[in-house]
Amino acid sequence: MEPLSIRGLHKSFGGPAVLAGLTFALRPGECYGLLGPNGAGKTTTLRCALGLTRPDGGEIRLAGLPVPERAREARARVGIVPQMDNLDPDFTVAENLLVYGRYFGLADRAVRARIPQLLDFAGLAGRAEAKISTLSGGMKRRLTLARALVNDPDLLFLDEPTTGLDPQARHLIWERLKQLLAQGKTVLLTTHFMDEAERLCHRLAILDRGRLIAEGSPREVIAAHIEPEVIEVYGEPGEMSAAAWARDEAAQFATRVELAGETAFCYVTESRPLLRHLADRRGLRYLHRPANLEDVFLKLTGRDLRD
Amino acid sequence: MNPFRPPSPSLRFIPVWRRNFLVWRKLAVPSLLGNLADPMIYMLGLGYGLGALLPEVGGVRYIAFLAAGAACFSTLNAATFEALYSAFSRMQVQRSWDAILNTPLSLDDLLLGELVWAASKAALSGAAILAVTAALGLIDSPLALWALPLVFLAGLAFAALGLIVTALAPGYDFFMYYFTLFITPMALISGVFFPVEQLPAALQAVSRVLPLSHAVELVRPLFRGEVPAAAATHVAVLSGYALAAFWLALGLARRRLLK
């Protein structure tokens, strides 16, 4: 059984379509990434999947159940880490877990028995009686993750789980997610961090304007949509303009050149000719690296700001 | 789907009630003092101060007359504050409602939990006034205990009306309109502080459709140890307010939160 399957999802809020025939499905035990610029439809997709927003058309099955018809039962088997922290500020760490467990119909005794284990997992052992306001951003995120596990779900939704965290806190979250995947849980992850998606996701989808425009493993997506290597070329101020160079000379060495401000991104399958050329050029600096998911993302969704 | 379809809540509203109760328990002492201080000042200040100037009102000492009104007024205030400021904080500021809607609870359950909680808190306020009135020796019949379920019912009606405002509110400032345009005028013409018969006929007519005056009509005789006249009508009106207002509040909340 697929933990979540979405077929031909349509939704508009009066204006242009927010979801325009979105289709994808999660396989049991995988981490599936939903990437897309702001407004691509990620949040609406999650809300539809949980039965909180009614789509105009399409089919959703969550934990094997049709949504929104049986969304209540389906939600009982899912854990959610929302984008915005919504822990209860009036409660202690342990009370947050206890009260959340009650919403799932769990007996206090059953939840109390699980609290030490959940806090341990969240790296919050010994903090059971702490007030929420005394926790750091990373601790709050980890507690939110622990709260999402209170009903022992098979499927987790994580909506930008590491936004605003420092590198240490991010790495700790990643470790915990890997542990959960190792336990066989399925994860649906939305993120703006391409390195996070590349690191965690078995498969991912890039969404734009409510449509899925690329899907596969991170390697597959990179291989399918972009040249394998990138050389970023910068002009030295006062000496040479990368823009002028890109306009006049870059095309003969690179399959594709993108200009963003004063940086020329040269996408190449064979890097040596360009590297030789740059070695002799004064006034230009460069960085040579393998193409990554961010390159694909920017290629497919454009470099324009989406607010 | 029509957001104004009939409510279909379930017993899952209970965890929401318990959540709010747990918060309240942590702050019970200051919260109770707050609940009591305001109506107490009205009751004792006006009751003894103004009461000294007045002969009997409605056949009893003014303070005894006022006590029943104060019980209803404090029920109104407690229910309204909870349904407005506290519920709005949980919906908009703390995002507690978002967290709850990600669980098997529906918005119907959630809003019913908020409603019953606000009414419970309101009933507690009313009960506190009853206790003080009894302690002052102004009550001599156990019939007055019937006031307890009735202030709970009135609390449901007042809280449901408040939830309509919360579901519409863009921010806290919005609540001032409700207080100035509805709560205060209603308190002044519903027989809380003086008999409705003192009002011009037109205002008496308005008073007759307001939920607070029906609450007062039920509670005041009970405080005197009498069975209220037309009790069934007053109960029906308060129940009608509670049901209709909850339905409307839920419709508005669905429109706002389940887009």
Side-chain angles (χ1 to χ4, degrees):
Chain A
M1 182 194 73
E2 288 158 336
L4 169 67
S5 79
I6 283 181
R7 281 232 311 261
L9 206 57
H10 282 268
K11 178 74 189 176
S12 84
F13 296 102
V18 177
L19 299 178
L22 183 65
T23 298
F24 68 91
L26 271 58
R27 298 173 189 153
E30 77 174 341
C31 178
Y32 189 93
L34 268 189
L35 315 181
N38 288 334
K42 301 186 297 292
T43 302
T44 305
T45 306
L46 294 186
R47 285 183 60 86
C48 286
L50 291 170
L52 299 175
T53 290
R54 183 170 279 266
D56 301 331
E59 246 180 67
I60 304 167
R61 289 187 88 84
L62 178 64
L65 300 167
V67 170
E69 294 77 16
R70 294 179 67 187
R72 178 202 283 276
E73 290 156 81
R75 284 202 300 268
R77 306 201 209 155
V78 182
I80 288 137
V81 176
Q83 206 177 101
M84 265 195 275
D85 268 322
N86 54 22
L87 294 164
D88 237 313
D90 298 307
F91 293 148
T92 64
V93 166
E95 284 167 342
N96 259 285
L97 298 175
L98 185 73
V99 169
Y100 210 69
R102 287 176 186 164
Y103 300 140
F104 288 89
L106 301 173
D108 285 7
R109 206 150 38 113
V111 179
R112 280 214 176 87
R114 268 169 63 71
I115 285 177
Q117 181 197 338
L118 288 168
L119 292 185
D120 223 29
F121 178 80
L124 291 169
R127 293 259 181 183
E129 300 310 316
K131 286 220 153 234
I132 298 305
S133 56
T134 66
L135 302 184
S136 70
M139 289 172 169
K140 283 185 195 161
R141 287 269 93 182
R142 268 146 39 213
L143 178 56
T144 307
L145 180 58
R147 189 182 69 176
L149 296 170
V150 82
N151 55 327
D152 194 21
D154 301 321
L155 171 61
L156 281 161
F157 284 12
L158 297 138
D159 197 1
E160 300 188 22
T162 64
T163 299
L165 298 187
D166 65 22
Q168 287 84 352
R170 289 177 72 195
H171 277 269
L172 191 48
I173 295 271
W174 292 343
E175 280 320 303
R176 292 305 187 256
L177 290 184
K178 284 181 188 160
Q179 281 184 32
L180 292 170
L181 290 165
Q183 291 167 21
K185 298 201 187 294
T186 310
V187 171
L188 177 63
L189 174 78
T190 81
T191 180
H192 283 306
F193 299 114
M194 299 300 142
D195 59 326
E196 179 166 287
E198 243 178 294
R199 217 173 285 237
L200 293 174
C201 296
H202 300 103
R203 290 190 307 142
L204 53 87
I206 298 178
L207 237 71
D208 198 19
R209 298 175 214 285
R211 273 194 194 83
L212 203 149
I213 54 175
E215 190 189 36
S217 75
R219 270 161 194 265
E220 284 165 5
V221 169
I222 294 168
H225 292 277
I226 206 154
E227 300 75 9
E229 291 175 70
V230 185
I231 299 169
E232 298 181 16
V233 181
Y234 324 99
E236 294 284 8
E239 290 190 44
M240 182 80 201
S241 149
W245 173 82
R247 194 178 53 237
D248 301 332
E249 300 177 66
Q252 49 186 311
F253 304 108
T255 324
R256 208 160 50 81
V257 180
E258 272 179 33
L259 197 63
E262 267 304 303
T263 304
F265 292 83
C266 305
Y267 296 90
V268 296
T269 32
E270 173 53 63
S271 57
R272 268 173 301 183
L274 178 52
L275 290 173
R276 264 201 303 274
H277 167 79
L278 288 168
D280 299 338
R281 287 302 291 252
R282 302 179 68 86
L284 288 178
R285 286 183 302 117
Y286 67 90
L287 170 72
H288 179 207
R289 59 173 176 80
N292 59 32
L293 205 51
E294 188 142 328
D295 298 311
V296 178
F297 186 86
L298 289 170
K299 180 188 173 190
L300 295 181
T301 61
R303 288 185 184 269
D304 302 332
L305 281 183
R306 311 282 184 90
D307 294 315
Chain B
M1 213 152 102
N2 180 7
F4 293 96
R5 65 189 179 276
S8 62
S10 70
L11 282 179
R12 287 179 191 261
F13 82 87
I14 293 169
V16 177
W17 189 95
R18 291 181 72 193
R19 180 226 166 264
N20 294 345
F21 177 69
L22 183 57
V23 176
W24 177 83
R25 222 176 53 186
K26 293 178 163 239
L27 306 163
V29 173
S31 168
L32 263 180
L33 285 178
N35 272 340
L36 272 174
D38 200 44
M40 243 13 122
I41 290 163
Y42 270 104
M43 193 174 114
L44 299 178
L46 286 178
Y48 284 115
L50 196 58
L53 302 173
L54 295 170
E56 292 192 334
V57 176
V60 292
R61 284 170 62 196
Y62 182 61
I63 187 161
F65 173 88
L66 185 63
C72 296
F73 184 47
S74 99
T75 302
L76 170 70
N77 271 330
T80 305
F81 269 96
E82 190 64 25
L84 264 56
Y85 291 91
S86 307
F88 187 81
S89 297
R90 293 190 280 269
M91 172 178 76
Q92 195 74 18
V93 184
Q94 301 178 5
R95 302 255 156 208
S96 317
W97 287 17
D98 287 356
I100 293 172
L101 291 176
N102 283 337
T103 72
L105 271 79
S106 66
L107 186 56
D108 302 34
D109 304 327
L110 167 57
L111 211 67
L112 180 63
E114 293 286 0
L115 177 79
V116 176
W117 166 249
S120 307
K121 223 177 141 178
L124 191 68
S125 276
I129 302 289
L130 175 65
V132 171
T133 311
L136 290 172
L138 297 168
I139 285 175
D140 46 14
S141 161
L143 213 55
L145 287 173
W146 276 99
L148 294 177
L150 293 171
V151 289
F152 178 74
L153 173 63
L156 288 173
F158 301 144
L161 289 168
L163 287 173
I164 295 176
V165 182
T166 297
L168 290 170
Y172 291 110
D173 294 337
F174 188 72
F175 299 145
M176 273 321 293
Y177 297 113
Y178 184 60
F179 276 100
T180 352
L181 299 177
F182 183 66
I183 296 292
T184 308
M186 176 162 75
L188 288 174
I189 65 170
S190 293
V192 170
F193 303 104
F194 52 83
V196 176
E197 293 72 40
Q198 301 297 314
L199 293 167
L203 279 181
Q204 285 191 38
V206 176
S207 173
R208 272 194 289 276
V209 301
L210 294 174
L212 181 58
S213 61
H214 290 275
V216 172
E217 294 283 334
L218 281 170
V219 171
R220 183 160 285 141
L222 289 170
F223 269 43
R224 276 203 301 260
E226 296 161 14
V227 176
T233 311
H234 299 308
V235 168
V237 171
L238 288 174
S239 308
Y241 263 105
L243 286 172
F246 179 70
W247 190 335
L248 179 58
L250 180 60
L252 293 168
R254 282 171 178 156
R255 208 177 59 179
R256 176 177 185 146
L257 299 169
L258 301 182
K259 286 191 294 240

